[in-house]
Amino acid sequence: MDSTSTRRRNTRQKLYEAAVTLIAEKGFSSTSVEEIAERAGVAKGTVYYNFKSKSELFEELLRYGVGLLTASLQEAADETAARGGGKVESLDAMIRAGLLFIHRYPAFTQLYVAELWRTNRAWQSTLLVVRQQAVAVVERVLTEGVANGELSEEIDIPLTAAALVGMVLVAALDWQAFQSERSLDDVHAALSRLLHGRVGGGRS
């Protein structure tokens, strides 16, 4: 990657971080491009050089953030498979990866969950696409688990995948907002027990 591309990538990273923090604090409508530029330590023109508008910046922020989450889930599944772990173990590793992501990017997670409930945004179609990318990683592991007999054939794969992703998102936000004294290991253990009780278990 040449120096120009590296600089642009670094600048976009700064803008993403500034935007997600400000929008989490003030909301999308109340956050100005000037404030994003100031928080990122760049000129206002730099924002428009990288993005056509504040809406485009936010749309790309959603792509970027959910892309990181998807990659972390996939990496957890791949690492588990590489060491010979089963599909329930892969799902458990993905839960932990999701918690780690949310612990690292709490402001982004708050924004993402909030935007999922809104239907009047210009980026709604993009949000649906990136959401499906994350859920699809979990769907693949469930599908493989059903195919090899590790998981029950009665599992509704699309709904179960969405439920697992949603469980991690909501539980992690609740953890950070209302149960911050808990450790990540503690939260993971609770969700792991839920996973093994409801999803684990092969065909009878």
Side-chain angles (χ1 to χ4, degrees):
M1 183 178 291
D2 60 34
S3 59
T4 300
S5 297
T6 300
R7 282 197 303 273
R8 188 171 190 192
R9 184 189 61 187
N10 292 340
T11 298
R12 283 184 166 231
Q13 176 70 28
K14 284 194 235 179
L15 291 171
Y16 289 145
E17 291 174 358
V20 74
T21 303
L22 284 166
I23 295 170
E25 291 172 359
K26 303 176 59 175
F28 178 79
S29 298
S30 298
T31 300
S32 68
V33 171
E34 289 85 351
E35 289 171 317
I36 293 172
E38 182 179 356
R39 180 69 65 94
V42 300
K44 178 180 175 181
T46 301
V47 179
Y48 289 114
Y49 176 76
N50 285 274
F51 306 99
K52 294 177 182 177
S53 64
K54 185 176 69 170
S55 291
E56 184 181 274
L57 166 57
F58 190 63
E59 184 172 347
E60 290 304 313
L61 169 63
L62 290 172
R63 289 183 185 275
Y64 173 76
V66 179
L68 290 178
L69 172 60
T70 301
S72 67
L73 297 177
Q74 186 65 63
E75 182 179 3
D78 291 344
E79 288 179 351
T80 303
R83 62 173 181 266
K87 298 308 176 184
V88 174
E89 188 179 347
S90 290
L91 292 169
D92 194 36
M94 294 164 85
I95 286 175
R96 185 173 185 84
L99 291 172
L100 285 167
F101 174 87
I102 295 162
H103 184 63
R104 183 176 180 184
Y105 303 106
F108 172 79
T109 307
Q110 288 176 323
L111 282 179
Y112 173 64
V113 172
E115 290 301 317
L116 284 173
W117 292 99
R118 295 193 171 102
T119 58
N120 60 342
R121 300 296 206 189
W123 48 78
Q124 185 66 23
S125 60
T126 295
L127 188 63
L128 293 175
V129 169
V130 295
R131 170 205 166 274
Q132 185 53 38
Q133 289 171 352
V135 172
V137 177
V138 184
E139 286 183 351
R140 283 194 292 273
V141 173
L142 290 170
T143 299
E144 291 165 0
V146 170
N148 69 17
E150 186 177 349
L151 303 177
S152 170
E153 291 180 330
E154 296 179 356
I155 288 177
D156 184 320
I157 291 173
L159 189 57
T160 301
L164 286 172
V165 173
M167 175 184 74
V168 173
L169 290 172
V170 175
L173 289 177
D174 187 88
W175 160 42
Q176 297 196 341
F178 305 113
Q179 304 182 59
S180 58
E181 73 282 359
R182 288 177 176 266
S183 68
L184 189 147
D185 287 340
D186 187 24
V187 177
H188 175 224
L191 297 186
S192 180
R193 284 191 289 272
L194 183 60
L195 167 73
H196 284 79
R198 295 300 182 185
V199 177
R203 299 168 185 159
S204 58

